Amino acid sequence: MTKTVVSFDQAIQELEEIVRQLEQGDVPLEDAISLYKKGMELSTVCHDKLHNAEKQLISLMDNNGDKVPFNSPEKEDSSK
Amino acid sequence: MNYVKTNEVKTGKIKGEAVFLIERLLLYFFIVRSLCVTTSYLTVKALTKYIKRKFDADPHLRNVYVKGELSNVKIHTSGHIYFTIKDDKARISAVMFATQAKNLKFRPESGMNVLVQGDVTVYEGPGQYQIYAQVMQPDGIGELFVAFEQLKEKLAKEGLFQTSRKKQIPRFPQTIGVITATTGAAIRDIITTLSRRYPMAEVIVFPALVQGSAAAPSIVKALKQANAYADLDVCIVGRGGGSIEDLWAFNEEIVAREIANSNVPIISAIGHETDTTIADFVSDLRAPTPTAAAELAVPNQLELLQLVTNRKSQIVSIVTATLSNERKRLTRVMSAYPIAYPERLYRPFVENLTRISEQLEKNGRTIINQKQQLLIQHKARLTLQNPQRLVKQQQNELQVNIERLNVAAKKNIQIKGVLFSNVIQLLEALNPLKIMDRGYSITYQNNQVIKSIKEIDPNKPLHIKLQDGVIVASINSINKQSKGEST
């Protein structure tokens, strides 16, 4: 499968849709198998996206409308 | 003392009545005092009871409306609330019993300005008069409260609070804006919660003042910034708890309108759960606290991971079930009568074919027999018509004829022989050569018998045949013979 960039939202929506279609039953076998393949790919995409995001990107919009890194107050907390 | 029982007092007569009562009271005290001096002393209890009766009898001390500041608020475990209401000139003890206290929408605190409605009476033990509060509500908002209600009504009329206006909060935001002060509990709570639940999303903080007169314009500016920033999926606007004055920026019209106009869905998170601001009414989703706002803004990543895993196993189990069903179906179909016993499908045809073949063979044989018989018949007839016999017959006939011919021919030859010898005899008698014996000769020229002088070529020799030889003679002259003369 060609790697296209999909958002997590799209991926999980498609995944839900696939589950819904499969749950409806009376899906022809060929379709069920292609849905299965697509579902597996999507679940991997979702899984990867969820796994890879461990640290949040936090930035601050300054007065000039520029994004600058923002030191999370959480860090201050953890230093306590 | 009957007059103290005068309960029904018409409002028009209140002033006159009061003056009358005071006069009577003073008079009575003087009498009592003179009595005490001379005769006996009242007990404290009796005096207090008397005073209490006075209080209870006074309609002006019933259903009194008092406003003031709370102090010494004590909430008893029983639910009764004991407190003092004061202003800069005076104070009065008060109590609110649990029955009424449970209806309070707020928690009374010292320093809070309140409006109290209740009855004033005497608590005999400590000899205190106090107000028994029936209803209590916060005061001191004053103009702000009025402003709040007025703006709320105005914006509600414009339809800015309508549910139909509320934008959907995306389920899985990729970029989350946060409009609040860069310091304080609110930003910490929001970022901590977002990081804990959904580190996938990017967070952009749009700093704003959230308190004081500059707060409202600052919040508006941040909202504009957030809307100008592309790809913002949702925006949290809020601050931590505080007094109504602290939160006031979120009740300002410019802030409310900016939130209403926002293209980015707004989650409001202002103060504590009990605080409700105009911003909360216009926002697309109201969160009771900043932490709650962050929880509403994003799903829990771990739960999502679980969800994805569940969906995956759902797909696997459904497809596995589908496969097994289809396999069963295939087995069922394969074991179905026609496929399992295909020969039964064509057996009737085979039988039919066999029958027809047999019939064909039988019919064929019959026809052949018939034809053979016919052939035999024809052969017999043909044999009867055999030309050999005719040939034989004809041969016999021929033989007979040949014999007859032979006989006839022989006879004929005999006859002819006789005739011939007769002719020969005659012929011999006529032979010219015989005549030559008698002196006749034959003249030839060029092997032609010369019968006339006209036939003679005088230049060529003549051959004169005689009985015993030939004379070759040349011609000297030719003389024509006159008629009647013989040679």
Side-chain angles (χ1 to χ4, degrees):
Chain A
M1 173 186 149
T2 49
K3 286 277 171 191
T4 46
V5 182
V6 286
S7 70
F8 179 79
D9 191 10
Q10 281 175 299
I12 199 156
Q13 268 184 31
E14 278 184 55
L15 185 61
E16 300 265 6
E17 174 61 20
I18 282 170
V19 173
R20 195 189 60 74
Q21 282 185 26
L22 285 174
E23 274 180 337
Q24 264 188 345
D26 59 7
V27 176
L29 187 64
E30 294 86 345
D31 295 0
I33 285 166
S34 63
L35 284 173
Y36 172 81
K37 281 185 187 167
K38 184 81 185 153
M40 287 302 110
E41 283 164 6
L42 286 169
S43 70
T44 308
V45 168
C46 291
H47 212 272
D48 289 352
K49 278 180 189 280
L50 288 169
H51 253 297
N52 294 340
E54 283 167 354
K55 187 159 170 16
Q56 193 145 37
L57 184 61
I58 304 168
S59 42
L60 186 80
M61 194 62 78
D62 69 8
N63 274 335
N64 303 324
D66 295 325
K67 262 163 55 169
V68 293
F70 180 70
N71 273 342
S72 168
E74 190 189 12
K75 283 179 187 164
E76 294 163 24
D77 258 13
S78 59
S79 66
K80 274 178 195 172
Chain B
M1 297 221 301
N2 282 345
Y3 68 91
V4 292
K5 288 180 180 170
T6 311
N7 291 336
E8 301 297 320
V9 181
K10 288 181 181 165
T11 44
K13 294 179 180 174
I14 282 176
K15 203 166 184 180
E17 199 86 6
V19 172
F20 175 71
L21 275 170
I22 291 165
E23 281 170 359
R24 293 294 296 269
L25 198 60
L26 283 171
L27 179 66
Y28 192 79
F29 264 106
F30 283 122
I31 294 165
V32 167
R33 198 165 63 173
S34 62
L35 282 174
C36 288
V37 172
T38 54
T39 55
S40 63
Y41 294 89
L42 279 175
T43 62
V44 176
K45 183 183 171 187
L47 178 59
T48 306
K49 262 202 152 62
Y50 177 71
I51 294 169
K52 183 175 163 61
R53 258 185 214 163
K54 285 287 170 192
F55 273 82
D56 290 349
D58 190 342
H60 302 293
L61 296 177
R62 276 202 268 152
N63 220 17
V64 173
Y65 293 86
V66 180
K67 67 174 178 177
E69 188 189 322
L70 290 177
S71 66
N72 295 326
V73 178
K74 280 168 196 147
I75 300 175
H76 198 261
T77 46
S78 61
H80 305 326
I81 305 170
Y82 301 97
F83 55 98
T84 303
I85 308 170
K86 64 171 186 181
D87 57 21
D88 51 354
K89 293 283 192 310
R91 57 180 59 219
I92 181 171
S93 296
V95 60
M96 187 174 222
F97 291 118
T99 326
Q100 284 79 38
K102 73 171 197 285
N103 294 327
L104 285 181
K105 301 266 188 296
F106 70 105
R107 188 185 163 88
E109 285 170 358
S110 297
M112 204 178 256
N113 288 313
V114 290
L115 301 168
V116 173
Q117 179 192 347
D119 303 329
V120 180
T121 185
V122 172
Y123 186 23
E124 290 159 72
Q128 279 186 342
Y129 67 93
Q130 56 185 19
I131 182 161
Y132 290 84
Q134 300 289 327
V135 181
M136 176 159 57
Q137 59 190 49
D139 187 23
I141 308 163
E143 288 178 340
L144 290 183
F145 184 76
V146 174
F148 173 89
E149 287 298 330
Q150 282 175 340
L151 180 60
K152 188 178 154 190
E153 194 182 348
K154 177 177 166 189
L155 297 183
K157 268 188 188 162
E158 288 181 31
L160 293 193
F161 304 158
Q162 277 172 7
T163 320
S164 56
R165 280 188 55 107
K166 308 277 182 207
K167 288 178 278 295
Q168 188 77 33
I169 308 296
R171 266 174 88 197
F172 309 106
Q174 294 183 60
T175 315
I176 302 161
V178 178
I179 297 179
T180 189
T182 52
T183 56
I187 182 105
R188 194 186 59 228
D189 290 351
I190 291 169
I191 285 178
T192 306
T193 309
L194 289 179
S195 298
R196 174 170 53 80
R197 284 173 64 88
Y198 202 64
M200 272 172 82
E202 185 186 353
V203 177
I204 298 170
V205 179
F206 297 89
L209 298 170
V210 291
Q211 196 167 330
S213 57
S218 175
I219 294 163
V220 168
K221 187 189 159 204
L223 279 163
K224 284 190 196 296
Q225 259 188 322
N227 268 284
Y229 185 83
D231 309 328
L232 211 57
D233 296 312
V234 64
C235 190
I236 298 170
V237 180
R239 56 151 291 151
S243 69
I244 186 74
E245 290 89 350
D246 291 342
L247 306 183
W248 193 252
F250 295 94
N251 284 322
E252 299 254 13
E253 187 167 355
I254 50 167
V255 172
R257 291 202 180 277
E258 201 61 38
I259 289 174
N261 288 335
S262 172
N263 293 319
V264 180
I266 302 284
I267 301 177
S268 63
I270 297 143
H272 294 302
E273 184 149 15
T274 49
D275 301 318
T276 304
T277 63
I278 301 289
D280 288 319
F281 288 116
V282 289
S283 71
D284 298 298
L285 185 63
R286 187 213 166 202
T289 61
T291 302
E295 281 169 353
L296 291 170
V298 294
N300 187 330
Q301 201 155 321
L302 287 178
E303 283 170 16
L304 278 180
L305 208 54
Q306 188 58 48
L307 178 86
V308 169
T309 312
N310 287 349
R311 289 290 176 266
K312 192 173 164 180
S313 53
Q314 252 176 305
I315 290 175
V316 171
S317 71
I318 291 170
V319 171
T320 310
T322 308
L323 273 175
S324 111
N325 280 345
E326 294 293 338
R327 205 170 286 131
K328 275 184 205 152
R329 215 169 116 193
L330 179 65
T331 313
R332 199 169 61 242
V333 169
M334 288 312 287
S335 62
Y337 179 79
I339 291 179
Y341 307 101
E343 69 276 8
R344 294 194 190 178
L345 272 183
Y346 58 79
R347 186 183 286 162
F349 295 97
V350 172
E351 282 167 0
N352 209 12
L353 177 66
T354 313
R355 201 179 67 244
I356 290 171
S357 297
E358 279 168 7
Q359 210 171 344
L360 183 67
E361 206 180 333
K362 205 171 96 187
N363 288 354
R365 218 179 292 127
T366 311
I367 289 169
I368 288 170
N369 283 346
Q370 282 176 355
K371 295 296 178 193
Q372 272 176 343
Q373 228 126 44
L374 257 182
L375 180 64
I376 289 165
Q377 280 176 16
H378 283 299
K379 256 187 184 167
R381 280 172 67 189
L382 192 63
T383 313
L384 285 179
Q385 300 293 325
N386 199 338
Q388 267 183 338
R389 279 172 46 145
L390 195 65
V391 169
K392 223 169 194 171
Q393 199 182 337
Q394 296 290 334
Q395 270 179 342
N396 289 345
E397 226 165 283
L398 179 64
Q399 201 60 43
V400 170
N401 284 341
I402 286 172
E403 276 170 20
R404 278 173 64 193
L405 188 64
N406 279 346
V407 172
K410 269 180 193 161
K411 208 172 175 180
N412 201 15
I413 288 166
Q414 276 176 345
I415 295 166
K416 296 295 180 186
V418 174
L419 279 176
F420 183 64
S421 58
N422 290 347
V423 170
I424 291 293
Q425 282 169 2
L426 189 64
L427 208 56
E428 272 180 355
L430 292 171
N431 191 351
L433 294 175
K434 270 226 164 98
I435 301 169
M436 278 178 204
D437 289 345
R438 290 181 289 162
Y440 294 90
S441 63
I442 305 160
T443 309
Y444 299 87
Q445 191 175 40
N446 292 337
N447 295 328
Q448 294 282 321
V449 174
I450 303 301
K451 286 171 262 179
S452 165
I453 57 171
K454 291 168 191 169
E455 293 166 358
I456 292 172
D457 181 356
N459 299 321
K460 286 190 175 172
L462 290 173
H463 293 256
I464 305 158
K465 194 167 181 182
L466 301 174
Q467 179 197 326
D468 52 355
V470 175
I471 307 161
V472 179
S474 53
I475 300 165
N476 288 339
S477 65
I478 298 164
N479 301 322
K480 195 169 174 180
Q481 188 186 352
S482 56
K483 268 193 183 174
E485 226 177 344
S486 62
T487 328

